[in-house]
Amino acid sequence: MRSITVLGATGSIGKNTLDVVRRHRDDFSVFALTAMTQVDALAELCREFKPQYAVIGCADDAVKLERALAPQQTTVLYGQQGLADVSAAADVDVVMAAIVGAAGLRPTLAAIDAGKTVLLANKEALVVSGQLFIEHAKQSGARILPVDSEHNAIFQCLPEQQQQQVGYMDLAAAGIDHILLTGSGGPFRDLPLPQLAQQSPEAACNHPNWSMGRKISVDSATMLNKGLEYIEARWLFNCQRQQLQIVIHPQSVIHSMVQYVDGSVLAQLGQPDMRTPIAHTLGFPDRINSGVGGLDFTRLGELTFKQPEPARYPCLQLAIDSCWEGQSATTSLNAANEIAVDAFLKKQIGFTQIAEVCDWVLQHQPMFHCASIDDLLQLDQQVRERARERVKQVAYV
C-alpha cells in the first residue's frame, strides 16, 4: 500500500485523484489532504478518507477545521510550512501536486527535495522555476510523473528509458524528431475575430470539452494554458525549440503525439477525462482502473487538426517566445497572466486585454537572474504589482 498526500484536494484535480483512490482503497492510504480556504469541503473529504493530517491556508481556518473534524484523529496544520511538512514527511510515498498558482511551489519543491514520487499537476512548478525543479529532482532522485493530459500523453508515447529520465532525456538519441502538443482551441476557436473583445467571463469559462476551474478555463480560451504547457514540456522532455510544436485538435481525443525520425507517430487517445492520466501516474508502471470508459472508434466521427492563429491567440505566442528567453520571462508571464485573468473574471478588463496586459508587463519588467526559489517569488511579486498597475490603467471606467 502506498501513502499519498494530495495537495489541493478540493480542486478539480484533487477531487478526481480521490475518485481514483476510492476505486483502489487496498492500494493507497491517504496521509494528508490540503486546501487553501474551503474548510467545509476539506472537512468532508477528511471524514471520508481519514488522513493523518489536514492542512488549510491560515490559522483561523485551522481552528474551524479542527472543530469540524472533532473527535476524528486528524492533526490539523496550516500555512506554507504545514504544506511542506506533509509533502516531505517520511511516511509519504506519493505527492499529488495540484495546488493552483505560486502557492504550490514550496510544497512541491519540498516533495522533490525529499525524493518523493511527485505527480505534477501544478503548472507553475515548471513555468516559474523549471530549471530549479529539474536540477533538484536529479539531485534527490525524486521521480516526476506528469499529470496534465497532454504531458502524460507524451510520456506514455516515450521509450521506457526516456520515461526514467524526465527532465534530462535526449530526444534525438531516442530517435524522436519532435513532440506535438494538442489543444482544443477553447470556446472561441471558431468565433469571428472582431467579436473576441466582447466576450464575457461566462462565455470564456464555457469550455466545449473539459470541466475545469474558471481560471484555467479562461487560460484555455486565450490558449495561454497551452503556452504554459509548452514551457512545461520544454523542461519535462528537455526539448529544443525545433522539437516542440502545437496543433489545434478540437475533439480533444488525441491528447498529444510523438513523431519519430522514421516517420512513425505515436499518439495517446482517450476520453477527455482527467482521471485517465491521474490513474496512469498513480499506478505507474502498472495500469489501474480509472473509472473512465474506453473509446468507441465507430462513433468518434472525424478528427481534425489545424495550426493556431496568432491573431486569435496572442497569449500563446507570448508564452512560446518567453520559453526561450529564460526563466525570468516565463515567471513574469505567468504572474502577469494570473492578475490579468483575475481582473477579467471580475469584469474589470475585457477578454483581449488579458494579452495586452501580459505583453505590456513583459516589455516593462526588468529581468534578472533567479538563482533560488526566493528570487523567483520576489520576481513574481514584483510582476504582480506591475500588472495590477497596468490593469488600473486599462480598466473599464
Side-chain angles (χ1 to χ4, degrees):
M1 180 174 287
R2 284 180 287 177
S3 177
I4 182 171
T5 284
V6 181
L7 301 174
T10 59
S12 175
I13 296 295
K15 291 177 181 177
N16 279 311
T17 299
L18 293 172
D19 184 74
V20 175
V21 169
R22 282 189 191 98
R23 302 169 191 275
H24 302 277
R25 291 187 182 272
D26 292 337
D27 298 316
F28 300 98
S29 63
V30 178
F31 177 80
L33 298 176
T34 85
M36 294 306 293
T37 60
Q38 297 189 48
V39 174
D40 292 341
L42 182 58
E44 183 178 349
L45 291 173
C46 287
R47 284 190 286 268
E48 177 183 357
F49 289 96
K50 296 179 173 53
Q52 294 183 44
Y53 291 91
V55 186
I56 197 73
C58 68
D60 289 344
D61 283 344
V63 173
K64 296 176 184 176
L65 184 60
E66 285 178 335
R67 291 172 180 167
L69 290 177
Q72 181 172 317
Q73 298 300 309
T74 294
T75 301
V76 176
L77 306 175
Y78 67 89
Q80 283 286 311
Q81 188 59 54
L83 292 171
D85 288 345
V86 299
S87 299
D91 291 340
V92 174
D93 302 307
V94 178
V95 175
M96 170 59 77
I99 296 176
V100 175
L105 291 180
R106 290 190 187 278
T108 306
L109 186 59
I112 286 174
D113 284 340
K116 305 302 181 185
T117 294
V118 178
L119 314 186
L120 192 59
N122 172 283
K123 293 188 186 307
E124 288 73 18
L126 295 179
V127 171
V128 174
S129 48
Q131 186 171 6
L132 185 71
F133 270 63
I134 295 301
E135 289 174 352
H136 279 235
K138 191 171 184 179
Q139 292 170 6
S140 69
R143 168 179 278 180
I144 297 176
L145 298 178
V147 173
D148 269 356
S149 59
E150 294 81 2
H151 301 113
N152 182 262
I154 294 163
F155 181 85
Q156 292 194 48
C157 294
L158 293 174
E160 182 178 353
Q161 183 177 2
Q162 273 57 49
Q163 291 178 333
Q164 306 301 323
Q165 298 175 339
V166 170
Y168 49 94
M169 65 186 66
D170 187 337
L171 296 180
I176 295 169
D177 185 74
H178 63 273
I179 286 168
L180 288 156
L181 272 173
T182 60
S184 71
F188 304 146
R189 61 190 173 221
D190 298 317
L191 191 74
L193 290 176
Q195 296 181 25
L196 283 176
Q198 288 74 48
Q199 297 309 302
S200 67
E202 292 73 24
C205 291
N206 187 25
H207 195 281
N209 300 351
W210 299 92
S211 176
M212 305 181 292
R214 284 167 63 79
K215 191 268 182 184
I216 195 172
S217 294
V218 175
D219 284 348
S220 179
T222 65
M223 277 196 78
L224 190 280
N225 189 51
K226 196 57 50 182
L228 299 182
E229 290 172 5
Y230 179 99
I231 297 166
E232 288 181 273
R234 178 260 176 106
W235 293 112
L236 286 169
F237 309 116
N238 196 27
C239 298
Q240 302 300 312
R241 188 163 189 159
Q242 72 275 11
Q243 294 174 319
L244 197 51
Q245 298 179 18
I246 293 174
V247 62
I248 291 179
H249 169 49
Q251 294 81 17
S252 295
V253 172
I254 296 177
H255 296 143
S256 276
M257 298 173 276
V258 175
Q259 182 153 329
Y260 287 79
V261 293
D262 62 1
S264 300
V265 179
L266 300 187
Q268 189 267 337
L269 287 72
Q271 302 282 2
D273 190 313
M274 285 306 299
R275 290 176 297 172
T276 296
I278 289 169
H280 177 260
T281 55
L282 278 173
F284 187 82
D286 299 323
R287 298 278 179 172
I288 63 175
N289 178 33
S290 66
V292 180
L295 287 176
D296 182 348
F297 283 87
T298 65
R299 303 180 64 181
L300 275 184
E302 63 179 10
L303 302 180
T304 60
F305 308 89
K306 65 179 180 179
Q307 292 289 334
E309 304 169 65
R312 187 179 300 277
Y313 304 113
C315 282
L316 175 60
Q317 191 60 51
L318 288 175
I320 293 172
D321 292 340
S322 295
C323 180
W324 307 107
E325 289 172 10
Q327 188 71 83
S328 293
T330 59
T331 301
S332 298
L333 174 61
N334 179 73
N337 178 69
E338 286 194 15
I339 297 302
V341 169
D342 182 65
F344 169 66
L345 288 170
K346 293 176 179 175
K347 301 186 178 181
Q348 296 170 349
I349 63 173
F351 178 73
T352 55
Q353 288 178 300
I354 296 172
E356 294 172 16
V357 168
C358 291
D359 189 21
W360 186 91
V361 169
L362 287 171
Q363 292 185 41
H364 291 84
Q365 171 63 37
M367 301 295 173
F368 56 86
H369 176 67
C370 297
S372 68
I373 196 73
D374 290 330
D375 291 343
L376 290 164
L377 291 175
Q378 179 183 355
L379 174 62
D380 178 89
Q381 290 304 311
Q382 288 181 9
V383 171
R384 288 172 190 273
E385 287 304 314
R386 194 173 293 272
R388 290 187 186 100
E389 293 172 5
R390 186 57 179 171
V391 164
K392 290 178 182 178
Q393 293 171 0
V394 302
Y396 296 136
V397 178

